[in-house]
Amino acid sequence: MKKINFMVTAFRDGFQSVYGGRVFMKDYLPALEAVRDAGIMHIESGGGAMFQSPFFYTGENSFANMELFRKTMGADANLQTLARGVNVVGLDSQSSDIIALHARLFKKYGVSTIRNFDALNDVNNLIYSGKCIKEAGLRHEVAITMMSLAPGWDKDNKVHNPEFYASVLRGIINAGIDFDSVCFKDASGTSTPYTVYKTVGLARKILAPEVNITFHTHDTAGTSVACYLAAVRAGANTVDLSLSPVSGGTGSPDVITMWHTLRGSDFSLDVDIEKVIKAEEVFKECMKDYFLPPEATSVDPRIPFAPMPGGALTANTQMMRDAGILDRYEEVFKNMGECVRRGGFGTSVTPVSQFYFQQAFNNTMIGPWKRFAEGYGKMVLGYFGKTPMPPDKEIVKMAGEQLGLPPTARPVLELNDADPKKGRQAAEAGLRAARLPVTDENVFICAACGEKGIMFLLGQSAVSVRKKSDSETASAETGPASAQTLEVTLDGSKFKVRLENGAAFVNGKSYKVTVRPEAAGAALQAPAPAPAQAALAAPAAPPAPRPEAAPAPRQEADAENDVRYVTSPFPGMVFRTLTKSGEKVEEGQVVFILEAMKMESEIITRKSGVITVRAQQGDQVQTGQILAEIS
């Protein structure tokens, strides 16, 4: 009987695929100890989105978390992290010095193995990053990314088939990339069992018998276990498995599920199943207060037609839920396929999956191709490497015009090393400007997290973790709570405010309120919106009703009023305000940075005058909502 090895992905990929990475380490530490006590010693401990998430959402330092993870698991555990080639652990690509620093720091903070992939399967993006991993003394698991394409997308069947993946593997070998193992990574869970079987079979013929082959997938489309059976029968040695409550659905299959699947076959998992069951009980208890989005636990058979990895799916639906626009998700979902088809067929895994979703979001909320998401536009123009197929020429032309960038075939590292805004020198300058210590750790935080990294180091970052609200708990325990919905008009924008159990739910945020009767009806007394740092609580589930977007008030006969107001072009969060009330502004001046779906967009004035700011940092705003008035 052949024993199949496995890595537990619950504490990295699982958290990202279910909770968007917004999890406090202190909450899950008992579960990590229980997994260790169950004898599971190969664990995905960080990297990927779980590097940025603590800085962005939980107010924790990822390096401190990595250190505690190693201390908890002990010296013998194989702790593995995820890297995105030249993007390392961010959405943007990095320069050579930051890529090398990533490997050295992750080694310093207890990592054993780094799985390294490029979403475009551009081998050039794996050469230097792989070299740095090995030189740091780490095991290098090189990864090839997979997904299926919907019928008719690739009429010549040139990409995302077994022969294509085998050619990428040969390219890795021919490039002289030093690796210890190979992973075939299907983050969207869309590959067919047949494709997996043929791909792993071809790889087994290419690689030496002793080389470990890992297969990774999710249950988003409902075929994960079938794909794992196909992989092990074709010669894979290792599979990635998760633990409840972050298994199945958008997560990877559960350890217990795979153990049961292999019973009576020629394969088995080397695991004490009773101890695993006990560990899952501890894990569920640890996570019982976290809001579990329903889409994270379900299978969506349509995913092959809009391939989206679990980590992107729930992260994005949660952001839409926060903004009160989850009802638009179906439209975004339908538009995503076109973005994949016309974008060159990069694999839908971070960062490319986020580029696809961001562009589909813009196409839905603003209009088809009226605004290019920076990541998507730069991808089709070549700034992240070579896409598997040439992108649509019309898309390339429009992206270049909107972003003001020419198409390029220059290597990504060459571009980034020549970019004065990237690299160690730029990060150090940012730290000095903020009067922060210049250390390797701070340099990397600044490079990987940008301005949000600086905000964290200054103690100015927001904490945003989605836990169940008191009202949800009451509703779950005692049945539906009495609720009242009011329409509130503020500065010309209309909002539906749901009052429930002493709280008001607006735009996915809850606020404590007092409601008292008056002669003319009920008056709502609420404190001013809390700053972003205070908005800890998760949005309610169900979410707050979507506010009705109202255009800026104007008089048809008065053209001056058309430009008097600065309004939000789409739902999002005010990431930064760049002016104060009473200041003089000029036409075309950037006055706000709005963040939506991990994109930062500049909001400008359309006239000169004195500004009155009506939205502050951390505010969640809707389409048409007034952000400022110019007089």
Side-chain angles (χ1 to χ4, degrees):
M1 182 175 290
K2 181 180 178 181
K3 289 184 177 179
I4 301 301
N5 301 316
F6 65 93
M7 178 176 71
V8 164
T9 61
F11 302 103
R12 202 291 303 172
D13 198 315
F15 283 156
Q16 174 62 22
S17 297
V18 173
Y19 304 117
R22 303 186 188 198
V23 178
F24 293 117
M25 188 171 189
K26 64 179 176 61
D27 287 343
Y28 70 81
L29 205 54
L32 184 60
E33 294 168 346
V35 169
R36 176 202 63 201
D37 295 342
I40 298 173
M41 299 299 282
H42 187 186
I43 298 181
E44 191 175 33
S45 59
M50 283 302 290
F51 182 82
Q52 289 183 326
S53 289
F55 296 111
F56 290 0
Y57 306 121
T58 67
E60 299 171 329
N61 190 314
S62 290
F63 290 120
N65 285 1
M66 291 163 65
E67 196 168 40
L68 180 56
F69 208 113
R70 170 56 72 184
K71 181 179 179 182
T72 303
M73 288 301 301
D76 296 333
N78 181 7
L79 301 186
Q80 184 165 315
T81 60
L82 187 68
R84 304 162 180 157
V86 292
N87 286 57
V88 288
V89 289
L91 295 181
D92 199 5
S93 56
Q94 300 290 343
S95 58
S96 300
D97 50 4
I98 299 301
I99 293 170
L101 182 59
H102 159 256
R104 294 198 304 272
L105 284 174
F106 275 48
K107 170 68 174 179
K108 175 181 177 180
Y109 284 93
V111 172
S112 311
T113 304
I114 293 182
R115 176 180 292 171
N116 187 35
F117 74 92
D118 179 66
L120 301 180
N121 281 315
D122 185 340
V123 173
N124 287 327
N125 289 340
L126 298 172
I127 296 172
Y128 183 72
S129 54
K131 178 174 181 286
C132 292
I133 290 168
K134 291 297 293 182
E135 287 181 349
L138 295 160
R139 294 184 73 258
H140 179 211
E141 182 167 274
V142 70
I144 296 164
T145 57
M146 300 176 66
M147 72 174 181
S148 71
L149 299 180
W153 283 9
D154 177 19
K155 295 179 181 179
D156 296 325
N157 195 31
K158 290 185 177 180
V159 294
H160 293 294
N161 56 46
E163 292 73 25
F164 169 73
Y165 300 130
S167 70
V168 176
L169 178 57
R170 292 189 186 96
I172 289 169
I173 294 170
N174 294 337
I177 297 174
D178 190 4
F179 58 85
D180 299 280
S181 56
V182 173
C183 174
F184 289 94
K185 177 179 172 63
D186 180 7
S188 62
T190 57
S191 295
T192 64
Y194 173 80
T195 298
V196 172
Y197 182 82
K198 293 288 289 183
T199 298
V200 174
L202 288 174
R204 185 44 75 201
K205 292 177 180 178
I206 295 170
L207 297 168
E210 66 274 11
V211 176
N212 184 84
I213 296 178
T214 298
F215 182 68
H216 167 97
T217 194
H218 294 237
D219 204 32
T220 322
T223 57
S224 62
V225 172
C227 286
Y228 275 163
L229 283 174
V232 299
R233 287 171 177 162
N237 313 91
T238 303
V239 293
D240 286 355
L241 300 171
S242 192
L243 298 166
S244 182
V246 294
S247 58
T250 55
S252 293
D254 197 284
V255 172
I256 300 174
T257 301
M258 196 65 195
W259 169 83
H260 183 65
T261 300
L262 296 177
R263 293 175 68 190
S265 73
D266 295 332
F267 305 97
S268 68
L269 296 183
D270 186 12
V271 64
D272 185 329
I273 201 63
E274 295 298 330
K275 289 183 178 180
V276 174
I277 292 171
K278 182 178 179 181
E280 287 202 354
E281 291 172 355
V282 175
F283 198 11
K284 290 175 185 176
E285 178 65 21
C286 289
M287 308 310 295
K288 67 179 179 8
D289 292 331
Y290 283 80
F291 170 52
L292 184 66
E295 61 271 19
T297 60
S298 62
V299 165
D300 190 339
R302 305 170 302 161
I303 284 293
F305 299 89
M308 195 185 313
L313 192 154
T314 49
N316 287 315
T317 55
Q318 283 284 58
M319 284 188 282
M320 295 184 76
R321 182 178 278 114
D322 291 349
I325 54 169
L326 189 58
D327 59 315
R328 306 297 298 275
Y329 170 71
E330 286 296 320
E331 297 171 66
V332 178
F333 183 90
K334 290 176 182 177
N335 284 332
M336 187 165 172
E338 182 184 15
C339 297
V340 177
R341 181 174 57 82
R342 301 184 74 180
F345 299 121
T347 313
S348 190
V349 61
T350 307
V352 169
S353 57
Q354 195 63 29
F355 299 161
Y356 288 149
F357 190 89
Q358 289 169 342
Q359 191 58 54
F361 179 82
N362 282 359
N363 287 358
T364 301
M365 306 303 295
I366 303 171
W369 310 108
K370 289 183 180 294
R371 175 175 293 183
F372 272 79
E374 183 180 5
Y376 185 89
K378 291 177 72 174
M379 178 187 72
V380 299
L381 290 167
Y383 287 86
F384 287 95
K386 184 179 179 181
T387 54
M389 292 283 286
D392 184 286
K393 292 181 180 179
E394 182 184 7
I395 297 299
V396 173
K397 181 175 182 294
M398 289 191 292
E401 291 172 350
Q402 285 194 31
L403 298 181
L405 291 171
T408 183
R410 289 177 66 187
V412 177
L413 276 184
E414 184 180 310
L415 287 167
N416 292 347
D417 287 345
D419 188 344
K421 295 181 180 179
K422 293 187 176 183
R424 184 177 188 110
Q425 189 172 351
E428 288 185 356
L431 291 169
R432 291 192 185 97
R435 299 182 179 180
L436 290 165
V438 177
T439 65
D440 282 349
E441 288 81 357
N442 286 358
V443 165
F444 189 76
I445 291 168
C446 184
C449 301
E451 187 173 347
K452 289 182 180 178
I454 293 288
M455 291 171 66
F456 170 84
L457 293 171
L458 289 171
Q460 299 173 354
S461 59
V463 174
S464 178
V465 175
R466 301 178 179 105
K467 289 195 176 185
K468 297 173 184 175
S469 69
D470 292 338
S471 61
E472 290 175 72
T473 304
S475 296
E477 293 176 352
T478 64
S482 61
Q484 182 180 12
T485 300
L486 303 176
E487 184 177 274
V488 178
T489 301
L490 178 65
D491 293 334
S493 295
K494 295 180 180 179
F495 300 90
K496 288 182 179 178
V497 180
R498 180 167 58 89
L499 304 178
E500 185 175 344
N501 292 321
F505 294 90
V506 185
N507 295 349
K509 291 183 180 180
S510 63
Y511 302 97
K512 291 183 179 180
V513 299
T514 300
V515 178
R516 58 181 175 82
E518 283 188 343
L524 177 65
Q525 293 183 329
Q533 293 92 322
L536 308 183
R546 183 185 172 210
E548 296 177 357
R554 64 187 190 185
Q555 301 170 11
E556 293 299 328
D558 186 359
E560 177 69 11
N561 250 6
D562 288 346
V563 296
R564 175 181 169 188
Y565 296 98
V566 179
T567 60
S568 175
F570 45 74
M573 183 192 75
V574 179
F575 178 57
R576 201 156 16 111
T577 57
L578 302 178
T579 60
K580 297 179 181 178
S581 292
E583 291 185 350
K584 180 77 165 59
V585 295
E586 301 296 331
E587 180 181 350
Q589 181 176 334
V590 179
V591 289
F592 294 96
I593 303 293
L594 200 63
E595 183 182 61
M597 303 297 120
K598 298 184 181 179
M599 294 180 288
E600 294 173 14
S601 300
E602 296 180 342
I603 308 300
I604 64 172
T605 63
R606 291 184 291 157
K607 67 171 290 185
S608 301
V610 176
I611 192 168
T612 300
V613 176
R614 296 188 177 180
Q616 301 300 325
Q617 181 177 317
D619 286 357
Q620 199 78 41
V621 297
Q622 297 301 315
T623 304
Q625 185 170 333
I626 295 172
L627 306 179
E629 183 176 353
I630 312 297
S631 61

